[in-house]
Amino acid sequence: MMTFILLFLLGVVAAVFGSLIGLGGGVIIVPGLLMLSPYLMDQPLNTAEAVGTSLMVLIFTGLASTFTGYRQKRIDFRSGWLFFITSGPGSMLGAVVTGRMNSDAFEILFGVFMLLMAVLIGIRKRIRPLRREWKYRRTYTDIEGRTCHYGYNLSSALVLGFFVGFVSGLFGIGGGSLFVPVMILLFQFPPHVATATSMFIILLSSALGTTTKIYLGEVDFASAAALAPGALAGGWFGSWLAGRLKSGVLTKVLIVSFVILALRMIISGIL
């Protein structure tokens, strides 16, 4: 029972952070599972199982976020399906590669990735979107009648989709931490459309990545069953909390948390 409660709380914390700052909860779930499982389980999870379990949880959070985005009419389904053409196979390839990586190398790479995410979070508001006329133009009109334009070309969309899908499957993070800033800065997506659309892509990619992990026997279903309801509750609470807290404070807390977790992963991998 205590194991279920702690994993449930891990799901809550991961989803709250993810909702508040627009990142996938997997970036908290994976290191959390690796650190907690030796104390909570008779057989600690290895890196491949932690990634597979995280991907399965992301299906539920992605489903909830996609439903919300659909109701708010913020998802660009046409663009989402285009990105998914390559992000889906990329996620499956990343899921396979994880199982063949040395656990120490994985922890070091994951720690470096978290440090890069901390830097990106810290500077993203200072970076201005690239002003470029892309071949394929899209138009979005929000519920208040405001219209904005954005776009991309086919090759850039497919390359981005594969890269983000691969990283998502490799680390079990969902990919929103990469998709959202690139969609905003490179393709001029409106932030709320980028977030909602990326969650739709993550839902599809996570499903394929999870299917691959299940086939390889690298998913801990008991842990996923405890994490999933916590992630759903945390996603709802995080969305509610986002409108009531100052973003500057949240950003600093998240950066510090990422740096601490990253250093912990890197040191563990080296030692």
Side-chain angles (χ1 to χ4, degrees):
M1 186 63 182
M2 181 58 66
T3 299
F4 180 91
I5 293 173
L6 290 176
L7 291 176
F8 176 88
L9 292 176
L10 175 61
V12 171
V13 171
V16 168
F17 272 118
S19 300
L20 289 175
I21 207 71
L23 301 176
V27 78
I28 302 293
I29 290 176
V30 172
L33 283 174
L34 292 176
M35 284 186 277
L36 290 176
S37 64
Y39 306 101
L40 299 179
M41 305 172 189
D42 296 330
Q43 184 67 36
L45 299 183
N46 59 39
T47 53
E49 292 168 335
V51 168
T53 304
S54 177
L55 284 172
M56 175 168 276
V57 175
L58 286 172
I59 294 177
F60 296 94
T61 56
L63 187 62
S65 297
T66 297
F67 178 71
T68 301
Y70 173 75
R71 291 185 61 184
Q72 297 173 341
K73 297 182 179 180
R74 291 181 172 180
I75 300 177
D76 182 346
F77 285 102
R78 182 176 177 180
S79 298
W81 282 111
L82 176 62
F83 284 113
F84 174 66
I85 290 174
T86 50
S87 71
S91 178
M92 297 177 72
L93 178 61
V96 172
V97 171
T98 300
R100 285 156 176 72
M101 283 182 65
N102 176 276
S103 60
D104 294 334
F106 175 87
E107 291 194 49
I108 294 172
L109 281 177
F110 197 100
V112 171
F113 175 78
M114 291 188 73
L115 288 177
L116 292 175
M117 287 299 99
V119 172
L120 180 60
I121 293 169
I123 68 173
R124 65 179 183 173
K125 288 188 177 181
R126 302 176 186 176
I127 303 175
R128 294 291 175 262
L130 177 67
R131 298 302 176 187
R132 176 175 175 176
E133 290 294 325
W134 294 100
K135 181 177 180 180
Y136 296 100
R137 301 296 297 167
R138 304 287 291 157
T139 300
Y140 172 76
T141 303
D142 62 21
I143 57 177
E144 297 178 357
R146 292 173 296 192
T147 300
C148 53
H149 305 278
Y150 57 97
Y152 43 81
N153 62 35
L154 186 60
S155 59
S156 61
L158 295 179
V159 169
L160 173 64
F162 179 82
F163 174 73
V164 175
F166 178 78
V167 173
S168 170
L170 182 68
F171 292 135
I173 60 170
S177 52
L178 296 174
F179 254 129
V180 174
V182 173
M183 291 169 77
I184 294 173
L185 300 175
L186 186 60
F187 300 141
Q188 299 116 43
F189 271 70
H192 46 281
V193 176
T195 301
T197 303
S198 73
M199 289 308 299
F200 169 64
I201 304 168
I202 288 167
L203 167 63
L204 301 176
S205 299
S206 296
L208 284 185
T210 300
T211 301
T212 304
K213 284 296 189 183
I214 292 175
Y215 175 77
L216 296 172
E218 295 174 348
V219 175
D220 186 69
F221 292 96
S223 297
L227 287 163
L232 289 173
W236 173 84
F237 180 67
S239 298
W240 175 84
L241 197 61
R244 291 162 173 78
L245 294 178
K246 295 181 179 180
S247 59
V249 175
L250 295 172
T251 299
K252 291 177 182 178
V253 170
L254 194 65
I255 290 174
V256 172
S257 301
F258 271 32
V259 170
I260 292 173
L261 284 174
L263 293 177
R264 164 67 172 75
M265 295 283 283
I266 293 172
I267 292 172
S268 175
I270 293 175
L271 298 180

